[in-house]
Amino acid sequence: MGRPKVIVIAGGSSSRFGSDKLSALIDGRPLISRVLEVTREVGDVILVSSRDEISRLGRLLGDVKVVEDLPQLPCGGPPRGVASAVGQVSSGTVLIVPGDAAWATAEGLEALLEQCSERLASPLMGHGFVSSSFLCGPTDMIREAVRLMCSKASLGLRARMTDLLRSSRSRLVGASLLGGQGQFYDLDVPGDRPPRSRGPRRVVEVDPTAYRRALSLALAGRPREAAAAFQEESKAYRRLRVWHLELHSLLDAQSLGLDAAKRVERLMLTLRRPSRP
């Protein structure tokens, strides 16, 4: 099978950080250099970003394979980065890692890779949050998930990394089982640190049936039925206490006309990023 391909998503404007995040020094080293060192331990790295960002990072990238983000794709943000890079992979397993994964470890990434030989997998964090910027799975499954995600974006619905999980047979693995949730947080603002809690130990299996039905209805020009199907999807995540996926399915339903404002507001408060005590 060979080594997995590791797609490092190195985009973003660093607006909240206030300066070029990927060049910021973390323990005396540029953040992107640290991320590339860790990811090279577990697989063959493909970095994807805009042409301007690639130019700014310059020598920090070394000899890593670089792919430009394709602006013509309907997906935006990290989903577009995945869509731009996955065409460079022919087979095997793909691991996706954000370029600002300041606390990632090779051990944690390898533990995640062990979960995705036959399905997609992401860490399940505290408060029902899914760290979907860390995601792995078989190449063919990720390609199909990307296709569905971009077809959703073509309707004017927002594409999110969680769409990859929602549209596929996926496993959400309690971060404590992967070595602790701290390593699966990204760097948000200067001085940021992940919470000390190791996160949950449970494992959740995701059934993509409801999501795929909702998307099929939306693509067929039946928005009211699609909204109802997304709402049904959200109820499954609510029973599983995966609030992050419940929120995103409700936001899709809301974009198609469903009134879910009160529940959406409550979920956003629940999922507010915890600060380190």
Side-chain angles (χ1 to χ4, degrees):
M1 292 292 291
R3 280 160 56 88
K5 299 296 183 183
V6 186
I7 297 175
V8 176
I9 309 295
S13 61
S14 303
S15 56
R16 293 194 62 192
F17 196 79
S19 60
D20 187 354
K21 185 194 302 188
L22 298 181
S23 299
L25 297 182
I26 305 296
D27 296 330
R29 298 185 60 201
L31 172 57
I32 191 61
S33 298
R34 183 194 182 284
V35 172
L36 292 177
E37 179 181 332
V38 170
T39 51
R40 277 172 165 150
E41 290 186 47
V42 301
D44 299 325
V45 178
I46 302 171
L47 181 138
V48 58
S49 190
S50 67
R51 181 177 300 179
D52 288 345
E53 186 74 9
I54 292 168
S55 177
R56 280 196 299 272
L57 294 174
R59 60 181 178 80
L60 296 178
L61 301 181
D63 59 355
V64 69
K65 182 173 182 177
V66 174
V67 174
E68 286 188 23
D69 195 319
L70 301 174
Q72 67 269 30
L73 294 176
C75 309
R80 189 170 71 191
V82 176
S84 299
V86 74
Q88 303 292 316
V89 184
S90 57
S91 62
T93 301
V94 172
L95 170 66
I96 300 164
V97 177
D100 54 357
W103 305 284
T105 66
E107 292 77 14
L109 297 179
E110 287 171 347
L112 180 60
L113 281 164
E114 290 176 1
Q115 300 290 331
C116 60
S117 61
E118 298 179 350
R119 71 197 75 217
L120 305 194
S122 273
L124 179 63
M125 316 283 265
H127 303 284
F129 180 78
V130 179
S131 190
S132 54
S133 55
F134 293 85
L135 185 151
C136 64
T139 299
D140 57 347
M141 289 187 68
I142 289 185
R143 279 183 173 170
E144 172 65 4
V146 165
R147 184 188 69 79
L148 292 171
M149 176 180 65
C150 289
S151 67
K152 177 191 169 196
S154 70
L155 296 172
L157 298 173
R158 181 175 174 183
R160 303 177 177 90
M161 291 294 290
T162 53
D163 285 310
L164 301 177
L165 298 165
R166 291 164 59 198
S167 69
S168 311
R169 287 187 301 108
S170 302
R171 175 173 289 171
L172 311 178
V173 185
S176 183
L177 302 174
L178 301 173
Q181 67 179 357
Q183 61 192 312
F184 298 108
Y185 272 93
D186 58 344
L187 181 65
D188 199 11
V189 295
D192 202 7
R193 289 291 185 274
R196 290 193 178 96
S197 165
R198 290 182 62 81
R201 296 187 61 82
R202 64 194 181 105
V203 175
V204 175
E205 304 290 344
V206 174
D207 181 347
T209 305
Y211 176 92
R212 287 183 173 234
R213 178 171 178 269
L215 180 57
S216 178
L217 288 165
L219 289 167
R222 298 158 65 182
R224 292 182 63 181
E225 293 172 75
F230 278 129
Q231 185 180 33
E232 286 303 309
E233 181 198 13
S234 77
K235 291 177 181 177
Y237 299 136
R238 187 171 185 173
R239 289 191 294 270
L240 293 169
R241 294 177 290 121
V242 184
W243 315 126
H244 195 186
L245 299 192
E246 182 193 356
L247 172 63
H248 285 181
S249 53
L250 280 179
L251 287 173
D252 287 337
Q254 194 167 249
S255 296
L256 293 169
L258 182 79
D259 182 7
K262 289 185 178 180
R263 182 62 182 168
V264 164
E265 182 179 1
R266 179 179 294 184
L267 288 168
M268 285 182 169
L269 289 173
T270 299
L271 289 163
R272 184 174 294 168
R273 180 168 174 152
S275 56
R276 180 172 176 174

